[in-house]
Amino acid sequence: MHVDGTEKKWVILSFLMAFAMMGILTAYAINYNIRPPSNVETVDSNALHLTKEFAEDNLGLKVLADGTVTVTMVAARYGFYPQNLKVPSDTSIKFRLASADVLHGVHTAGTNMNTMVVPGYVSELTTTFPHVGKFPMFCNEYCGLGHDYMWSRLIVVPKDQFTLPAPQGGAQ
Ligand code: CUA
């Protein structure tokens, strides 16, 4: 089979470009610890209010029996609940989010918190907020007409001015 010289050059060039881009993505993923969410815990999005963890009264910040600082949140058209969330700075915090309806995303501006909230699954991420201040938490997946208004407020308080609640007994 005869392949024209110019064509051959472009075939090689396009392969090189694809490999270079793959290399850049891999390098970024490794250096910045970027990876797909790996939590495959399922939850019934239609019955969040009936679960112990995602019932309205149990949302927000708590300390589990093993000392893990955990924040449980529900994303629902059009808001994140709780709508005001106070957390201590420089503390490892595990977020557990569930959607009550459709696909949402949560992105906390000025921090590295960014994940999708897929209905039927619990989204989990652990992060630390080194900067004190108020940060908006936006929904970053189009979820309907009110998407633009879907946000909550994250307030990061200096660690020494924050009193953590007493650890909860029993497993969550
Ligand atoms: Cu929720 Cu967009």
Side-chain angles (χ1 to χ4, degrees):
M1 188 182 69
H2 172 76
V3 180
D4 182 76
T6 315
E7 196 176 345
K8 213 183 246 172
K9 248 188 264 166
W10 280 103
V11 167
I12 293 168
L13 189 67
S14 56
F15 269 97
L16 285 178
M17 276 160 65
F19 280 115
M21 279 186 261
M22 247 163 58
I24 292 167
L25 283 178
T26 312
Y28 264 92
I30 293 168
N31 288 331
Y32 295 98
N33 195 19
I34 297 168
R35 57 204 149 74
S38 53
N39 199 34
V40 284
E41 185 182 340
T42 55
V43 69
D44 182 357
S45 280
N46 290 320
L48 287 183
H49 57 293
L50 300 177
T51 63
K52 188 175 173 234
E53 185 177 11
F54 292 101
E56 203 174 346
D57 291 347
N58 291 325
L59 298 179
L61 184 133
K62 55 202 150 194
V63 179
L64 301 189
D66 64 0
T68 316
V69 182
T70 307
V71 169
T72 9
M73 291 186 90
V74 167
R77 287 188 291 187
Y78 295 102
F80 296 100
Y81 305 94
Q83 293 199 294
N84 284 293
L85 181 66
K86 257 189 203 171
V87 295
S89 66
D90 300 305
T91 305
S92 173
I93 301 171
K94 183 158 89 175
F95 281 83
R96 286 170 57 78
L97 295 113
S99 164
D101 39 45
V102 298
L103 176 68
H104 299 282
V106 61
H107 171 221
T108 309
T111 75
N112 70 344
M113 183 173 165
N114 188 353
T115 191
M116 280 166 103
V117 187
V118 184
Y121 293 90
V122 176
S123 298
E124 197 176 280
L125 68 100
T126 303
T127 190
T128 302
F129 301 106
H131 304 293
V132 168
K134 286 182 184 164
F135 301 91
M137 276 179 161
F138 295 113
C139 177
N140 64 359
E141 293 286 345
Y142 183 73
C143 52
L145 289 177
H147 165 72
D148 287 353
Y149 305 99
M150 183 166 171
W151 62 287
S152 269
R153 186 178 281 114
L154 176 81
I155 303 151
V156 183
V157 179
K159 193 182 179 177
D160 53 3
Q161 290 170 31
F162 193 97
T163 315
L164 284 168
Q168 292 188 347
Q172 276 277 327

